[in-house]
Amino acid sequence: MDARDTDLKKELDATLQTRRELGEEYESALVDSFLEKVDQRIDGAVERRVRRQLAEQQLTAARDSRSPRPTDSFGERFGFGIVSLVLAIPLSAIGGGVADLPGMLVAWAGIVGVNVVQVARTHPDLFGRRRRAERGDAWED
């Protein structure tokens, strides 16, 4: 039994004892007084629960906004693009020299794939991953 339940039981016992002493003419007032105390107790519990849930939501929102974001500076994007283009020349030559057009297509598919992965890593909301998680469509543990 919780301490609050014990206090409420004591209040009920005191109300019943007072009713016995004062008589039935005060029964309505005593019951109303006891029910008001019960209402206050319930209101306090609900208010604490709502405050706790609100605090948890705010904490979750703060953690999400504070989560480390991948670096997405202009220099990093520019450098990655330059490296992709520089490596595309010899990869295209090797692919085209070994397997003609299909080899060159495979080389360029690889280059495009690496760049798509880079964009997905630096911009997770671009492909809808973040929006699905916010709506609750994503899988949860």
Side-chain angles (χ1 to χ4, degrees):
M1 188 174 267
D2 194 358
R4 291 179 295 216
D5 292 339
T6 305
D7 290 343
L8 198 56
K9 186 175 185 205
K10 288 179 184 177
E11 289 285 337
L12 179 60
D13 289 340
T15 301
L16 292 174
Q17 183 65 30
T18 305
R19 187 230 177 241
R20 283 186 209 112
E21 291 175 4
L22 295 177
E24 290 185 20
E25 59 270 2
Y26 292 102
E27 182 175 348
S28 177
L30 291 172
V31 169
D32 289 343
S33 172
F34 178 73
L35 289 178
E36 186 175 319
K37 290 176 186 177
V38 171
D39 282 344
Q40 289 173 353
R41 181 78 45 94
I42 291 171
D43 288 344
V46 169
E47 185 177 333
R48 282 190 302 275
R49 187 172 297 152
V50 167
R51 272 192 270 138
R52 184 175 60 238
Q53 288 176 348
L54 182 61
E56 289 173 0
Q57 288 174 352
Q58 290 173 345
L59 183 62
T60 302
R63 284 183 183 159
D64 288 345
S65 68
R66 229 181 26 186
S67 64
R69 304 230 187 259
T71 57
D72 187 24
S73 66
F74 174 75
E76 182 181 346
R77 288 181 295 173
F78 186 72
F80 195 83
I82 294 293
V83 169
S84 291
L85 289 175
V86 167
L87 291 177
I89 295 169
L91 288 175
S92 298
I94 294 169
V98 172
D100 295 325
L101 182 62
M104 194 151 52
L105 291 176
V106 168
W108 274 96
I111 293 166
V112 168
V114 166
N115 282 285
V116 166
V117 168
Q118 173 68 9
V119 169
R121 185 185 70 83
T122 57
H123 299 292
D125 55 336
L126 188 63
F127 294 102
R129 289 188 303 188
R130 181 162 304 210
R131 279 182 257 134
R132 274 197 308 260
E134 288 173 355
R135 281 194 324 246
D137 294 345
W139 290 73
E140 293 184 17
D141 294 332

